[in-house]
Amino acid sequence: MNTTYSEAVKTAQTYYDGPETDRLYATFWGGEHITYGIYKSSDEPIHDASKRTVETIAQTLENLAPDSRVIDIGAGYGGAARYLAKTYGCSVCCLNLSERQNQRNRQLNQEQNLAHLVEVTQGSFEDIPYPDNSFNIVWSQDAILHSSDRTQVFEEIKRVLQPGGELIFTDPMQKETCPPGLLQPAFDRLGIKDMGSYRFYSQTAQELGFEELHFIDLSENVPTHYRRFGEEVRVRYQEVVRMSSTEFVDKTLKSIEPWIEYYQKGYMQWGILHFRLG
């Protein structure tokens, strides 16, 4: 483990490198993606809804082309990168903490004949291991919440982006109207202490010279996503227990309940944020 990582980053790395967590995500979150889905129906497969999120983000971008140079920070299993490489022919760098996820990413790239377009690098988005002006698109899905210094993440994004480049990301966010401390039961699942808000991300980006292009609120999808996840785990309960433990499965099912509740009550928010660097 890289000792220069912040405590928040180390916590995220430990969480996602855990074999039980990894098997659960790989099996029930769809295998390619480990981020929230956009649902057309309450019983839609998680994989299909998660792929729709990637498609929606890509369609929001203005300049995707074969000569695009993209970095996905917090890339997970690399599903978004493979979609971009297949669909647009562009090269994508996957920056991700979890070496367990990175190994799966590399394997899937080889199996799908995309290793020449998708590069996988272990590292933190608080200290992106690429030179200035390396990319014209920075992409991220549901990852920045794992940083304890999100301003530093945005400064690093600005550093590696070319002038006129685009930043597009999704992230679970706290609504400004949420009472202080209320969300801790949700935070405990991921080992985080807080999360950003739409206002924070918008203001931080603009202070660093970004122009805001879009904010697409997709919050209503999150309770559906967690319900679908819970349903799948319960239907295949004994299978999941065999790959982990009864304690782990029951704890996981319990830990998603606050996320459903807080989104339903309007205390949390999720959507696509899109900026261009001036």
Side-chain angles (χ1 to χ4, degrees):
M1 183 177 292
N2 188 331
T3 55
T4 63
Y5 291 169
S6 71
E7 286 303 314
V9 168
K10 290 178 185 177
T11 298
Q13 185 179 41
T14 301
Y15 174 77
Y16 287 107
D17 265 339
E20 293 178 319
T21 300
D22 182 69
R23 284 195 292 268
L24 197 68
Y25 277 124
T27 304
F28 291 97
W29 223 266
E32 287 269 349
H33 311 283
I34 55 170
T35 53
Y36 294 149
I38 298 174
Y39 288 80
K40 286 189 173 179
S41 65
S42 60
D43 60 351
E44 186 172 18
I46 293 171
H47 174 273
D48 296 354
S50 298
K51 183 183 178 186
R52 186 175 296 112
T53 302
V54 173
E55 293 169 346
T56 303
I57 297 171
Q59 290 161 8
T60 305
L61 285 165
E62 299 182 349
N63 298 309
L64 272 174
D67 62 351
S68 296
R69 177 82 170 155
V70 184
I71 182 170
D72 182 352
I73 58 173
Y77 295 136
R82 283 184 292 279
Y83 173 81
L84 294 175
K86 287 177 189 174
T87 308
Y88 298 95
C90 55
S91 62
V92 187
C93 297
C94 293
L95 179 66
N96 196 59
L97 279 173
S98 168
E99 192 53 34
R100 189 179 294 272
Q101 292 177 348
N102 291 342
Q103 289 170 0
R104 179 179 177 83
N105 191 349
R106 294 185 187 102
Q107 178 185 345
L108 291 169
N109 294 338
Q110 290 286 349
E111 291 173 358
Q112 298 177 34
N113 297 315
L114 292 168
H116 64 295
L117 288 175
V118 182
E119 175 181 288
V120 183
T121 300
Q122 184 176 25
S124 167
F125 44 50
E126 292 180 353
D127 184 16
I128 299 175
Y130 287 94
D132 297 359
N133 306 319
S134 293
F135 304 97
N136 54 0
I137 295 169
V138 174
W139 173 298
S140 184
Q141 288 180 255
D142 308 344
I144 298 175
L145 79 160
H146 287 293
S147 172
S148 59
D149 191 348
R150 298 177 189 104
T151 301
Q152 171 69 17
V153 175
F154 270 61
E155 289 171 347
E156 279 292 278
I157 289 169
K158 177 181 180 179
R159 181 183 65 77
V160 300
L161 259 185
Q162 299 166 1
E166 295 175 77
L167 162 63
I168 195 161
F169 70 100
T170 61
D171 210 41
M173 296 174 284
Q174 178 172 327
K175 289 289 286 289
E176 297 289 343
T177 54
C178 180
L182 180 73
L183 301 182
Q184 195 57 50
F187 296 162
D188 288 343
R189 172 173 163 263
L190 300 178
I192 60 177
K193 296 179 180 178
D194 59 16
M195 58 172 52
S197 64
Y198 163 68
R199 181 188 296 174
F200 168 79
Y201 286 136
S202 179
Q203 290 181 348
T204 301
Q206 291 181 57
E207 287 168 3
L208 289 171
F210 287 87
E211 172 193 1
E212 184 168 345
L213 301 178
H214 299 100
F215 173 55
I216 305 169
D217 193 321
L218 299 165
S219 303
E220 71 277 3
N221 291 278
V222 181
T224 304
H225 189 90
Y226 278 117
R227 282 197 206 95
R228 287 292 297 115
F229 178 64
E231 289 164 4
E232 289 292 320
V233 172
R234 289 184 181 94
V235 166
R236 299 165 65 181
Y237 185 86
Q238 292 303 325
E239 177 188 346
V240 193
V241 167
R242 285 194 296 272
M243 71 171 68
S244 54
S245 67
T246 302
E247 179 186 9
F248 177 79
V249 178
D250 291 347
K251 181 181 177 182
T252 298
L253 288 170
K254 186 71 176 174
S255 72
I256 65 176
E257 292 175 2
W259 291 81
I260 295 173
E261 176 187 350
Y262 296 146
Y263 271 97
Q264 286 178 326
K265 290 183 175 179
Y267 293 139
M268 298 172 82
Q269 194 170 20
W270 179 69
I272 300 171
L273 295 90
H274 184 202
F275 302 90
R276 183 191 295 118
L277 183 61

